[in-house]
Short mmCIF file of all heavy atoms in Angstrom, two decimals:
data_model
loop_
_atom_site.label_atom_id
_atom_site.label_comp_id
_atom_site.label_asym_id
_atom_site.label_seq_id
_atom_site.Cartn_x
_atom_site.Cartn_y
_atom_site.Cartn_z
N ALA A 275 30.39 0.20 -8.03
CA ALA A 275 29.87 0.50 -9.36
C ALA A 275 29.78 2.01 -9.59
O ALA A 275 29.99 2.49 -10.71
CB ALA A 275 28.50 -0.15 -9.55
N HIS A 276 29.48 2.76 -8.54
CA HIS A 276 29.46 4.22 -8.63
C HIS A 276 30.85 4.74 -9.03
O HIS A 276 30.96 5.62 -9.89
CB HIS A 276 29.04 4.81 -7.28
CG HIS A 276 29.11 6.30 -7.20
ND1 HIS A 276 28.06 7.11 -7.53
CD2 HIS A 276 30.13 7.13 -6.83
CE1 HIS A 276 28.41 8.38 -7.37
NE2 HIS A 276 29.65 8.42 -6.94
N LEU A 277 31.87 4.20 -8.42
CA LEU A 277 33.24 4.63 -8.74
C LEU A 277 33.63 4.21 -10.15
O LEU A 277 34.28 4.97 -10.88
CB LEU A 277 34.23 4.05 -7.74
CG LEU A 277 34.06 4.48 -6.27
CD1 LEU A 277 35.09 3.77 -5.40
CD2 LEU A 277 34.19 5.99 -6.13
N ILE A 278 33.22 3.01 -10.56
CA ILE A 278 33.61 2.49 -11.87
C ILE A 278 32.96 3.30 -12.98
O ILE A 278 33.64 3.88 -13.83
CB ILE A 278 33.23 1.00 -11.98
CG1 ILE A 278 34.04 0.18 -10.98
CG2 ILE A 278 33.45 0.49 -13.41
CD1 ILE A 278 33.49 -1.23 -10.77
N PHE A 279 31.64 3.36 -12.97
CA PHE A 279 30.94 3.98 -14.09
C PHE A 279 30.75 5.49 -13.92
O PHE A 279 30.39 6.17 -14.87
CB PHE A 279 29.60 3.29 -14.30
CG PHE A 279 29.74 1.85 -14.70
CD1 PHE A 279 29.55 0.84 -13.78
CD2 PHE A 279 30.12 1.49 -15.99
CE1 PHE A 279 29.70 -0.50 -14.13
CE2 PHE A 279 30.27 0.17 -16.36
CZ PHE A 279 30.07 -0.83 -15.43
N GLY A 280 31.03 6.00 -12.71
CA GLY A 280 30.91 7.43 -12.48
C GLY A 280 32.21 8.18 -12.39
O GLY A 280 32.25 9.40 -12.55
N LEU A 281 33.33 7.45 -12.14
CA LEU A 281 34.63 8.10 -12.02
C LEU A 281 35.75 7.30 -12.68
O LEU A 281 36.92 7.49 -12.37
CB LEU A 281 34.98 8.34 -10.55
CG LEU A 281 34.12 9.35 -9.80
CD1 LEU A 281 33.26 8.63 -8.76
CD2 LEU A 281 34.95 10.42 -9.14
N GLY A 282 35.40 6.39 -13.57
CA GLY A 282 36.43 5.62 -14.25
C GLY A 282 37.21 4.70 -13.34
O GLY A 282 38.36 4.35 -13.63
N GLY A 283 36.60 4.31 -12.22
CA GLY A 283 37.25 3.40 -11.27
C GLY A 283 38.10 4.09 -10.24
O GLY A 283 38.60 3.43 -9.32
N GLN A 284 38.29 5.39 -10.35
CA GLN A 284 39.13 6.11 -9.40
C GLN A 284 38.32 6.56 -8.20
O GLN A 284 37.11 6.81 -8.29
CB GLN A 284 39.78 7.31 -10.09
CG GLN A 284 40.61 6.95 -11.31
CD GLN A 284 41.61 5.85 -11.03
OE1 GLN A 284 42.43 5.95 -10.10
NE2 GLN A 284 41.57 4.79 -11.83
N ASN A 285 38.98 6.64 -7.05
CA ASN A 285 38.31 6.95 -5.80
C ASN A 285 39.03 8.13 -5.13
O ASN A 285 40.14 7.97 -4.62
CB ASN A 285 38.34 5.73 -4.88
CG ASN A 285 37.61 5.95 -3.57
OD1 ASN A 285 37.05 7.01 -3.32
ND2 ASN A 285 37.60 4.92 -2.73
N PRO A 286 38.45 9.31 -5.12
CA PRO A 286 39.13 10.47 -4.54
C PRO A 286 39.30 10.41 -3.03
O PRO A 286 40.03 11.22 -2.47
CB PRO A 286 38.21 11.64 -4.94
CG PRO A 286 36.87 11.04 -5.17
CD PRO A 286 37.13 9.66 -5.70
N VAL A 287 38.64 9.45 -2.36
CA VAL A 287 38.73 9.38 -0.90
C VAL A 287 39.33 8.06 -0.41
O VAL A 287 39.33 7.80 0.80
CB VAL A 287 37.35 9.60 -0.25
CG1 VAL A 287 36.81 10.99 -0.58
CG2 VAL A 287 36.36 8.52 -0.69
N GLY A 288 39.86 7.24 -1.32
CA GLY A 288 40.41 5.96 -0.89
C GLY A 288 40.96 5.18 -2.06
O GLY A 288 41.21 5.72 -3.15
N PRO A 289 41.13 3.87 -1.88
CA PRO A 289 41.69 3.03 -2.94
C PRO A 289 40.78 3.00 -4.17
O PRO A 289 39.57 3.17 -4.07
CB PRO A 289 41.77 1.64 -2.30
CG PRO A 289 41.70 1.89 -0.82
CD PRO A 289 40.87 3.11 -0.65
N ALA A 290 41.38 2.79 -5.33
CA ALA A 290 40.62 2.65 -6.58
C ALA A 290 39.81 1.37 -6.56
O ALA A 290 40.05 0.45 -5.76
CB ALA A 290 41.56 2.67 -7.77
#
Side-chain angles (χ1 to χ4, degrees):
H276 174 90
L277 297 178
I278 295 165
F279 296 102
L281 293 111
Q284 302 309 305
N285 182 1
V287 297

